[in-house]
Amino acid sequence: MTNTGAEHFRSLHHGRHPEHPLVLPGPWDAAAARAFADAGFPALATPSAGVAASLGYADGDVPADEMFAAVTRIARAAGVPVSADLEGGYGLPPKELVERILATGAVGCNLEDSGPSGALADPRRHADWLAEVCAEADGALFVNARVDTYLRGDTDPEAAVARITLYEAAGVHGVYPITAPPEHLPVLAAATTLPVNVHAAATAPPVAALGRLGARRITFGPGLQRRALGAVAEMARELAGFPPDAAPTL
């Protein structure tokens, strides 16, 4: 299956200087996507929690139809390649999941290996499922496998490495050991030939330092959306402080 957008997106992950990993801001709606694209970022990656907040849901509670619709609006507005965080795939069989992702215009996806309950998926079964997704996509999507061991309390890097090894063998294109501490990145990066996605802070992320440690892709989860919401909250407090008959100067 040919998808030039996916091929271009895949190429952005490779051949990079260690201090210049691929930085993918996370738009939560179409307006944010346009702002990030206009700033010159070559690609974007939606955060499921940020999109959920923009739609009025708690993280993990967005119905699949609403998430796919939101990703469609973001991809249409962005004008650059977009990867979509689609949580655990919403229980969809691989064929339908791939069809629905491609219908949004996205060229990649994050798929996590734990559920809302916090339980980690059986790694071999999850690897088999990822292999089916990759086979259905046939190169038309960049499949980024999120590894949730650290997120779920297992801080042994070897636990993450075991899953990374299985997911790489399944045919994914990137791995995302979310919340892995920076000091573990060299071990994780050495365990795979795939680009390692690292979650960075929303303010002053040490991108070059993370790159030197092995990160090849930097994302921010819902951090940028929460930072923007903080600015909105501050503006709201300022507006609320005006006398009833006064109007702010815009």
Side-chain angles (χ1 to χ4, degrees), residues 132-177:
E132 291 185 55
V133 172
C134 292
E136 290 291 346
D138 191 23
L141 290 172
F142 184 106
V143 178
N144 196 38
R146 203 178 87 176
V147 178
D148 287 3
T149 51
Y150 290 99
L151 183 67
R152 302 307 181 187
D154 188 341
T155 59
D156 181 355
E158 292 307 314
V161 165
R163 289 174 180 262
I164 286 169
T165 301
L166 286 169
Y167 302 163
E168 180 171 9
V172 303
H173 306 99
V175 289
Y176 181 15

Side-chain angles (χ1 to χ4, degrees), residues 4 52 102 104 107 168 213 218 231 243:
T4 56
L102 292 175
T104 68
V107 299
E168 180 171 9
L213 291 171
I218 306 293

Side-chain angles (χ1 to χ4, degrees), residues 90-242:
Y90 306 108
L92 297 172
K95 180 177 175 57
E96 183 179 354
L97 177 61
V98 169
E99 289 174 348
R100 296 197 68 175
I101 298 170
L102 292 175
T104 68
V107 299
C109 61
N110 275 6
L111 296 171
E112 59 199 51
D113 64 355
S114 69
S117 68
L120 285 161
D122 177 271
R124 294 189 180 278
R125 289 180 183 173
H126 191 69
D128 289 343
W129 180 76
L130 288 171
E132 291 185 55
V133 172
C134 292
E136 290 291 346
D138 191 23
L141 290 172
F142 184 106
V143 178
N144 196 38
R146 203 178 87 176
V147 178
D148 287 3
T149 51
Y150 290 99
L151 183 67
R152 302 307 181 187
D154 188 341
T155 59
D156 181 355
E158 292 307 314
V161 165
R163 289 174 180 262
I164 286 169
T165 301
L166 286 169
Y167 302 163
E168 180 171 9
V172 303
H173 306 99
V175 289
Y176 181 15
I178 189 169
T179 70
E183 60 269 23
H184 287 189
L185 293 181
V187 172
L188 301 177
T192 180
T193 63
L194 300 176
V196 175
N197 186 161
V198 171
H199 178 276
T203 53
V207 170
L210 291 173
R212 287 193 295 271
L213 291 171
R216 290 296 170 264
R217 165 170 161 163
I218 306 293
T219 55
F220 305 93
L224 301 178
Q225 183 269 337
R226 291 171 181 169
R227 183 176 172 186
L229 185 59
V232 172
E234 180 61 27
M235 180 173 60
R237 287 191 290 270
E238 291 176 2
L239 291 171
F242 284 106

Side-chain angles (χ1 to χ4, degrees), residues 26-29 46-57 62 66-71 73-74 85 222 225:
W28 51 93
D29 61 17
T46 71
S48 61
V51 173
S54 76
L55 296 174
Y57 290 97
V62 182
E66 291 198 45
M67 182 62 79
F68 285 117
V71 171
R73 292 190 294 271
I74 289 168
D85 184 343
Q225 183 269 337

